[in-house]
Each structure stands twice: as structure tokens, then as C-alpha cells.
């Protein structure tokens, strides 16, 4: 596995971990799948439709999302929104996320401030 | 463009036909709108060409990939880990035993001068060998698929108090017993299913006249009892292998399987005339050893005696399992 492959697979893992949280957060307001794909991409989080659509279906079966078909427009669209249970889950996961981020940031910054440590690690 | 719609519909059909029936219409409708949105974005108001449709569908992913993503959370394998490793292990033992036993039986049949041509016997033997291997494979696979899908816990380590003690011996105590059990039950089945003819062919009276001590026809017509017996034994021993040590749960399975096997043995030996006792008595008489008293009784009631022997062996197995379980729990 080359350098780029290692990086992209690690980034993919990071993104996968945050995806459910992002979907639950974004769907506080009802939206259809492709609109969510676009809005995430606009924020620098490219998610493929073939990942998002099955994920939303799974979250719906877990009771974290609910959906409704809207046949009024030019095309029939399935709108999803986060349920009350989904919001409760999101609330707790978000708190964990912030704690994790601050911990990780502190550790990463500390590593950067100790260049000697890096050299020692390289020697090992 | 009807042609492109056709491609989209074929694409949707290829995906949805492999999804659960109640999801199909909903997934197809949702993906149809998604594809239409992606085409609108790509063509910016112009009518999409066949190439646009191909590009969009390629971007979305192959039907196989889509199906995998839609069914990713389902338990999509027949035998998952940690059962798979044990499954392979048991499968190797069972197939080796069946193949070995069948080959020995085949060679003995040929050596004792079975009727028919050698080529015919060899081809028949190969046919039976393949059939027996396929049957054994199917039974072991079904057993482990059952373990896997019933989610029989392999590791009972919910809390620190449940951790098993480090065994004194280096090898796993239950494992050796289980392997021996599997080998014995298959060997037994092969002896009963294939050897009556061989034993009959080998039996000669004192005066040189051949006779058939076993009623091969009755043994053949009751083959299902032997097969059921073997399957129950292999099932219980495989569970022992999966469990890895003597636990109360394993004891329960062992006791139930002992009871079932005892029931089958009693039914088999009391419902079918498997041993031709008058022929044996006659043969011994012809040899000059006329039987009388308790020996005559034992020979005439050979099946009852054998039945008692099996029930005794099963009782010993049950007691042995209870003792090992009590020891292991200390």
C-alpha cells in the first residue's frame, strides 16, 4: 500500500465515524438524500450517494430517522428527518465528540511542541 | 429516450431484485429520483444522452456494489467467525474419517471377493465415497450454520468472574475428547453401514460352509437410525469443540445427546432383527460346540446384550461428563 493509499484509507475511516452524527444533525430539518449529499460536499465532506442512501435507510430502521414521500413536486422525493430518539442519541454522541476532539487536539499539539520526542520515536 | 430509460430500469431491477421484497419498490423509486437529479446536474437543462446515463450510473456504482451497500448490516454469511475456524477443523476430521473408513471398507469388500466385476465394484465404491463425503459435508455445514445463526456464544466471558482457569495441561481437555468422539461415531457408522457384507463374507462355519451371521438387509433398511445416531453424536461433539471446555451448558447438550442416542439404540436393536442368531447357533453346533445354559441365552439375546452394553457406555459417558464438568467448575 502506497503513501497516498494509507492516507486516503485513514481519512475514509475518520469520515465514516462522523457520518452518522452529521446525518442526524443535518436532518433536524427534513431533507432528501441528494440534497444532503450536496450540502455535505459543500462543506468539504464528500460522501457518495451509494453510501448515504443505505445509511439513511438503516438509521430509519433503527428508529433514529423517519421518512415521508412527497409526491407534490416534479419528481417524487423521500424526505428524511431525525426522530426525537435520534436527537437524544445525537446529543450524547455530540458531547462525546467534543470531548474526543479536544483531547485529540491537545495531544496532537503537545506532540508538535516537542520536536525532540519525534526524533526519539523515529530512532525506535 | 426510451433506450436510456431502459438502461436505468434494468439497472434498478438488477439492484432491487436482490433486496428484500418489501424494500424493492421504495428503493427503486428513491434511486430513480436520485439518478434523475444526478442527470439534471450533469446536463444542466439539456436532455441527457445515452453517454450521460452511463456516466451517472457508473458514478453511482455497479448493481453488485449497490446491493452490498444496501445489505451490509445483514448477517450475510452462512458460518461467521468464530465458528468458521472450528467448522473447518471438524470438517477436516469428519471428511478424513469418512474417506478413510469408506476406502478400508471398499478394499475389504474387493479382497473378500465380492460379487460382480472388479471395475464395477471400484466404480460403485467411488460413487458411494463421493455420496458419503457430500452427505458428511452437508451435515457438518448445517450443524455449524445452526450454531452460527443461533449465536451460540463461544466465549462466555461477560465478566472477569467468568474467565476460565488456565488449564494445567497444555492442550485443550475438551478438544481431544471431541475429536475422539467424532472419529469413533463415524467409524461406528461405517462399520454398521458397510461392514455387514464383509463380515458375512469372512464368516465360515467349522465345516467350511459359509453363513451370514448378520442380517444385512435389516441393517440396510434401518440405515436411517445409524445415520441419525451419527449426526446426533457429531453434533454434540462439535458443540464440545466449539465450547472448548466442560461447562454446564455442554453437560446439558451431552446428556440430551446421550438420551437421544440411547433411545435410538434401544429402538434399533429391539425393532430390527439385525443378527441372525439361529444361524450362529447352528454354525457353532456344526463346529461341535453345542451351546447350552447362559451362553446359549447370551447368543440368542445378542441384540439385547448389545443394547445393554450401549446404554451402559452412554451412562458412563454421562457420568464422565458430569465429573469433568464439576472438576472444571472448581
Amino acid at each position: 500500500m502506497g503513501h497516498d493509499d494509507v492516507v486516503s484509507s485513514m481519512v475514509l475511516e475518520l469520515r465514516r465515524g462522523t457520518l452518522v452524527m452529521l446525518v442526524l444533525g443535518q436532518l433536524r430539518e427534513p431533507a432528501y438524500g441528494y440534497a444532503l449529499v450536496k450540502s455535505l460536499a459543500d462543506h468539504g465532506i464528500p460522501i457518495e450517494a451509494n453510501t448515504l442512501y443505505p445509511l439513511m435507510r438503516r438509521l430509519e430502521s433503527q428508529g433514529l430517522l423517519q421518512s415521508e414521500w412527497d409526491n407534490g413536486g416534479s419528481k417524487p422525493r423521500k424526505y428524511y428527518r431525525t426522530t426525537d430518539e435520534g436527537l437524544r442519541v445525537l446529543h450524547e454522541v455530540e458531547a462525546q465528540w467534543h470531548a474526543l476532539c479536544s483531547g485529540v487536539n491537545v495531544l496532537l499539539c503537545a506532540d508538535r511542541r516537542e520536536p525532540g520526542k519525534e526524533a526519539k520515536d523515529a530512532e525506535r | 429516450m426510451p433506450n436510456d430509460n431502459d438502461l436505468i430500469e434494468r439497472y434498478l431491477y438488477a439492484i432491487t431484485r436482490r433486496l428484500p421484497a418489501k424494500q424493492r419498490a421504495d428503493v427503486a423509486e428513491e434511486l430513480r429520483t436520485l439518478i434523475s437529479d444526478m442527470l439534471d446536474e450533469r446536463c444542466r437543462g439539456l436532455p441527457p444522452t445515452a453517454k450521460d446515463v452511463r456516466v451517472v450510473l457508473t458514478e453511482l456504482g455497479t448493481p453488485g456494489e449497490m446491493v452490498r451497500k444496501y445489505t451490509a448490516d445483514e448477517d450475510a454469511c452462512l458460518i461467521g467467525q468464530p465458528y468458521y475456524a472450528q467448522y473447518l477443523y471438524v470438517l477436516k476430521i469428519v471428511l478424513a474419517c469418512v474417506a478413510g473408513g469408506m476406502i478400508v471398507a471398499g478394499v475389504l469388500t474387493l479382497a473378500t471377493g465380492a460379487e460382480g466385476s472388479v471395475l464395477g465394484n471400484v466404480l460403485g465404491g467411488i460413487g458411494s465415497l463421493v455420496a458419503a463425503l457430500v452427505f458428511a459435508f452437508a451435515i457438518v455445514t448445517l450443524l455449524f450454520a445452526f450454531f452460527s445463526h443461533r449465536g451460540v456464544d463461544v466465549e462466555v466471558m461477560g465478566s472477569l468472574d467468568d474467565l476460565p482457569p488456565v488449564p494445567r495441561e497444555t492442550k485443550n481437555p475438551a478438544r481431544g475428547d471431541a475429536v475422539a468422539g467424532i472419529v469413533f461415531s463415524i467409524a461406528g457408522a461405517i462399520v454398521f453401514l458397510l461392514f455387514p457384507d464383509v463380515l458375512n463374507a469372512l464368516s465360515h462355519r467349522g465345516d467350511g460352509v459359509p453363513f451370514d451371521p448378520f442380517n444385512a438387509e435389516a441393517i440396510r433398511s434401518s440405515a436411517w437410525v445409524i445415520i441419525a445416531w451419527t449426526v446426533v453424536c457429531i453434533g454434540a461433539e462439535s458443540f464440545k469443540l466449539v465450547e472448548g471446555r466442560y461447562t454446564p451448558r455442554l453437560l446439558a447438550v451431552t446428556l440430551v445427546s446421550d438420551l437421544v442416542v440411547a433411545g435410538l439404540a434401544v429402538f434399533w436393536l429391539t425393532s430390527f432383527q439385525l443378527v441372525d442368531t439361529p444361524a450362529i447357533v447352528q454354525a457353532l453346533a456344526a463346529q461341535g460346540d453345542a451351546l447350552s445354559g447362559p451362553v446359549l441365552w447370551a447368543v440368542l439375546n445378542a441384540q439385547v446384550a448389545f443394547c445393554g452394553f450401549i446404554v451402559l457406555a452412554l451412562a458412563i459417558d454421562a457420568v464422565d461428563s458430569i465429573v469433568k464438568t464439576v472438576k472444571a467448575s472448581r
Side-chain angles (χ1 to χ4, degrees), chain A residues 42-92:
Chain A
D42 289 345
H43 288 86
I45 304 165
I47 293 296
E48 289 182 27
N50 66 15
T51 300
L52 187 71
Y53 277 64
L55 173 70
M56 292 198 299
R57 203 164 269 279
R58 210 136 48 227
L59 293 175
E60 190 184 9
S61 73
Q62 290 172 359
L64 302 181
L65 292 181
Q66 62 190 39
S67 69
E68 202 177 341
W69 278 98
D70 176 9
N71 294 314
S74 58
K75 300 169 194 173
R77 290 194 188 283
K78 195 177 189 186
Y79 280 83
Y80 290 85
R81 73 177 301 158
T82 309
T83 61
D84 291 345
E85 172 60 13
L87 289 174
R88 276 194 290 276
V89 168
L90 174 64
H91 183 71
E92 287 179 34

Side-chain angles (χ1 to χ4, degrees), chain B residues 13-28:
Chain B
Y13 177 69
I15 295 168
T16 53
R17 76 193 174 100
R18 284 149 73 191
L19 296 182
K22 59 179 182 200
Q23 285 184 14
R24 284 177 196 160
D26 201 69
V27 170

Side-chain angles (χ1 to χ4, degrees), chain B residues 18-162:
Chain B
R18 284 149 73 191
L19 296 182
K22 59 179 182 200
Q23 285 184 14
R24 284 177 196 160
D26 201 69
V27 170
E29 195 61 37
E30 198 178 23
L31 289 180
R32 201 175 282 122
T33 304
L34 169 66
I35 292 165
S36 166
D37 283 344
M38 290 169 82
L39 282 171
D40 287 350
E41 189 183 332
R42 182 180 166 81
C43 303
R44 299 184 188 284
L46 297 172
T49 64
K51 191 181 166 221
D52 291 324
V53 172
R54 283 183 175 276
V55 169
V56 163
L57 295 185
T58 308
E59 190 186 330
L60 200 49
T62 65
E65 195 181 342
M66 293 295 277
V67 170
R68 274 197 297 285
K69 296 220 174 185
Y70 270 101
T71 56
D73 60 334
E74 284 162 28
D75 199 3
C77 65
L78 188 63
I79 302 168
Q81 286 293 7
Y83 301 94
Y84 189 67
Q86 302 286 15
Y87 163 71
L88 285 183
Y89 184 69
V90 172
L91 191 64
K92 276 181 209 161
I93 297 169
V94 168
L95 292 184
C97 291
V98 169
M102 297 282 289
I103 289 168
V104 170
V107 169
L108 279 176
T109 308
L110 281 179
T112 52
E115 290 161 23
S117 70
V118 173
L119 182 66
N121 277 321
V122 168
L123 289 180
I126 291 173
S128 322
L129 177 65
V130 171
L133 288 176
V134 170
F135 181 75
F137 176 81
I139 291 296
V140 176
T141 306
L142 285 175
L143 270 173
F144 275 83
F146 175 77
F147 290 158
S148 182
H149 284 260
R150 286 300 305 272
V152 176
D153 292 336
V154 177
E155 285 151 292
V156 199
M157 295 179 193
S159 78
L160 286 176
D161 298 330
D162 282 346

